[in-house]
Structure formats: C-alpha cells, structure tokens
Amino acid sequence: MGKIINPPQATQISNKLKSGGKKIVLAGGCFDILHAGHIAYLTNAKKEGDVLFVFLESDENIKKIKGPNRPINAQKDRALILSNLQMVDYIIPLPVFKKDKDYDGLVISLKPAIIATTKGDSSKTHKERQSRLIGARVVEVVETVSNSSTTRLVNILNEL
C-alpha cells in the first residue's frame, strides 16, 4: 500500500498508528497548483504530530468552490504530486461530499489529535466543531502566505 489511500484504509491505518502511540495530524485542501503556501502549511502541520494525513478535495467540489474552470489538475494528479512530498504520510482523495456530515464521518473515523488550519481559514468554525466531536485540537499552523495562492497564479496565467 502506498501513500494514496481510500477512507476505509485511512481508518484502519489511523487506528493501528494510534494504538502504537502515534499522534495523528489531519490537514486538508484542494492543492490544485502546489505553491509555497501549501508547502509551509503541510510542513508546519507535520510538526504538530507523528503522522500527517491529508484530505484532498474532489474535482466536483473544487468546481463548486473555485469556479467552472477549476481544478487545473485532476484529483489523481494532485494526489500523485502530494504523495511525493516528504512531510505527507498519507493522502485521502475524497469522494464527492455534499454535506458537512460526510466530512464529519470521516474525521470521526480517523480521530486525529490535531486538525491543522491556516490563520483566517473560512472553514475554521467547521473544523472546531469537528474537533469537539472527537476531542482533538484545531491548530493554526501557518498564516496565509501573501501573494501565494492558486487563484492568484491562475489569474496571472490568464492575463498572459
């Protein structure tokens, strides 16, 4: 088994790691075009524990969040890129989730000790609610890196 795993595998691996005393950290995002902000986020998230699991948004959900021309890279390609980063232990390509309870169910099954977020994350309230369900902590691991976003990069490329 490699780094790219499905939700049932993630639950099984998480349970085994926790029974061995490992501290699980959960991060998540689109990671459409990898940039310095992503690297800082993932690097600092990994420092919060022993094993870093990354939720990777589905292409359909990214279209809803970012617009019809996104993602630039398909989920399978984004997963492959993330799997080559040293700080990332496991990537969980998410199915199309329609409701918060879908995310909640997976978070509850993994029971991470830490849920990583960035300062000013619009979904921080959602992450804090999930953390209360499982007794985890939400940790701001990085401030938003100015001038470092996939949307900004896409806009620059569109201007060329």
Side-chain angles (χ1 to χ4, degrees), residues 25-123:
V25 179
L26 177 62
C30 299
F31 305 101
D32 193 6
I33 298 175
L34 208 59
H35 55 72
H38 291 136
I39 299 301
Y41 171 58
L42 295 169
T43 298
N44 290 338
K46 173 66 179 218
K47 290 176 183 176
E48 293 294 325
D50 301 306
V51 182
L52 178 61
F53 283 76
V54 177
F55 280 176
L56 182 61
E57 277 296 343
S58 68
D59 294 344
E60 186 175 318
N61 281 349
I62 291 175
K63 278 190 190 322
K64 288 178 188 171
I65 297 166
K66 304 285 187 176
N69 295 324
R70 299 281 297 279
I72 302 300
N73 292 296
Q75 187 184 51
K76 67 176 180 147
D77 296 329
R78 293 181 282 121
L80 177 64
I81 291 165
L82 288 172
S83 73
N84 282 281
L85 297 178
Q86 184 178 359
M87 77 289 274
V88 174
D89 296 296
Y90 295 101
I91 302 99
I92 305 161
L94 297 175
V96 177
F97 283 155
K98 305 243 184 228
K99 299 178 182 174
D100 286 348
K101 71 176 186 168
D102 297 327
Y103 290 96
D104 293 351
L106 188 50
V107 172
I108 289 167
S109 73
L110 292 178
K111 293 181 187 72
I114 302 291
I115 299 175
T117 189
T118 58
K119 187 169 186 165
D121 181 356
S122 61
S123 64

Side-chain angles (χ1 to χ4, degrees), residues 126-146:
H126 179 66
K127 292 175 181 178
E128 288 171 335
R129 184 183 54 74
Q130 289 173 328
S131 72
R132 287 189 297 273
L133 294 172
I134 58 172
R137 288 188 313 122
V138 174
V139 177
E140 289 180 347
V141 296
V142 69
E143 298 212 14
T144 302
V145 178
S146 62

